Amino acid sequence: MSDLKPALEAVLMVVDEPATEAHLAKVLERTPREVADALRELADEYTVQGRGFELRQVAGGWRYYTRAEHAAAVEAFVLEGQQARLTQAALETLAVVAYRQPVSRSRVSAVRGVNCDGVMRTLLQRGLVEETGAEPETGAILYRTTNYFLERMGLRGLDELPELAPFLPEAEAVEPDSLEGVPSFDPDAPDREDDDDKTEV
């Protein structure tokens, strides 16, 4: 395994999406078990050494990530003071899709109480949601989140989404189909309201 770890590091340095254990095993001509063990050992070693990056298993594969405690330094370097974040409207719409998928645009708009067509186009363009067939009754296009969404959120699967109940308001009744009160789960979410939320074009 002495030569496997450096090979894995070299490959993972150039991937643009999480690499699966099966794919890595095929490329490096090793067994999936050997690759899985080596990946976990590498991840543990980086943690013990206190490296500025970590090797994480997300969206069905493995990829390097900056450690959370160094996010501010990376953001300052990459963005240089400019904001490249989703608006509050986009985050809320993405939350509805994530928790109600597969879901139509009209259903998303009904939950949020505003027309979401423009925001949905933005999420599609960014690769966070995708089309997944049509609703049998109405023929409306249905949408779901993508593997890129899981990757950006650092999730292995949708079952790791946080439960909604702890975040729902206690003082007032909340309809079962409503997602009002759902907090933003984007780690880069800005703490502001979207001024264009009412028109959303």
Side-chain angles (χ1 to χ4, degrees):
M1 189 177 293
S2 60
D3 62 333
L4 177 56
K5 289 182 182 178
L8 285 169
E9 289 177 321
V11 172
L12 291 172
M13 282 291 183
V14 299
V15 299
D16 55 6
E17 60 183 22
T20 66
E21 294 171 2
H23 188 197
L24 291 169
K26 180 179 180 181
V27 170
L28 300 177
E29 298 181 342
R30 305 296 285 265
T31 68
R33 179 67 181 184
E34 288 178 315
V35 168
D37 289 343
L39 288 168
R40 285 170 175 78
E41 287 182 17
L42 281 172
D44 291 341
E45 289 172 10
Y46 298 148
T47 298
V48 171
Q49 295 167 4
R51 306 298 291 270
F53 58 89
E54 61 183 333
L55 182 57
R56 291 168 53 187
Q57 186 176 22
V58 295
W62 293 80
R63 188 175 184 182
Y64 285 117
Y65 286 85
T66 303
R67 290 198 185 276
E69 54 264 39
H70 304 300
V74 175
E75 182 177 9
F77 178 78
V78 175
L79 300 182
E80 295 183 351
Q82 298 186 11
Q83 302 300 315
R85 301 171 176 173
L86 291 175
T87 64
Q88 186 67 28
L91 290 170
E92 292 174 3
T93 301
L94 183 57
V96 176
V97 176
Y99 283 96
R100 304 293 296 181
Q101 61 185 303
V103 63
S104 66
R105 288 192 186 194
S106 61
R107 184 58 179 159
V108 174
S109 296
V111 172
R112 292 203 56 232
V114 291
N115 187 296
C116 297
D117 288 354
V119 175
M120 287 292 289
R121 283 194 294 272
T122 296
L123 295 177
L124 282 165
Q125 291 170 353
R126 294 202 179 190
L128 294 167
V129 302
E130 63 185 1
E131 297 180 3
T132 178
E135 198 170 48
E137 298 82 1
T138 65
I141 297 175
L142 297 174
Y143 298 88
R144 65 182 178 190
T145 54
T146 62
N147 276 339
Y148 179 62
F149 164 81
L150 294 177
E151 178 188 343
R152 296 297 298 170
M153 295 305 304
L155 303 174
R156 298 184 186 184
L158 294 174
D159 57 334
E160 291 190 351
L161 283 171
E163 293 291 332
L164 292 181
F167 302 109
L168 296 177
E170 298 178 0
E172 56 188 74
V174 179
E175 294 297 325
D177 288 336
S178 173
L179 287 182
E180 291 298 325
V182 176
S184 166
F185 51 81
D186 187 318
D188 293 330
D191 185 18
R192 65 180 180 78
E193 294 294 329
D194 180 17
D195 295 333
D196 299 327
D197 191 33
K198 294 183 179 180
T199 55
E200 291 185 5
V201 295

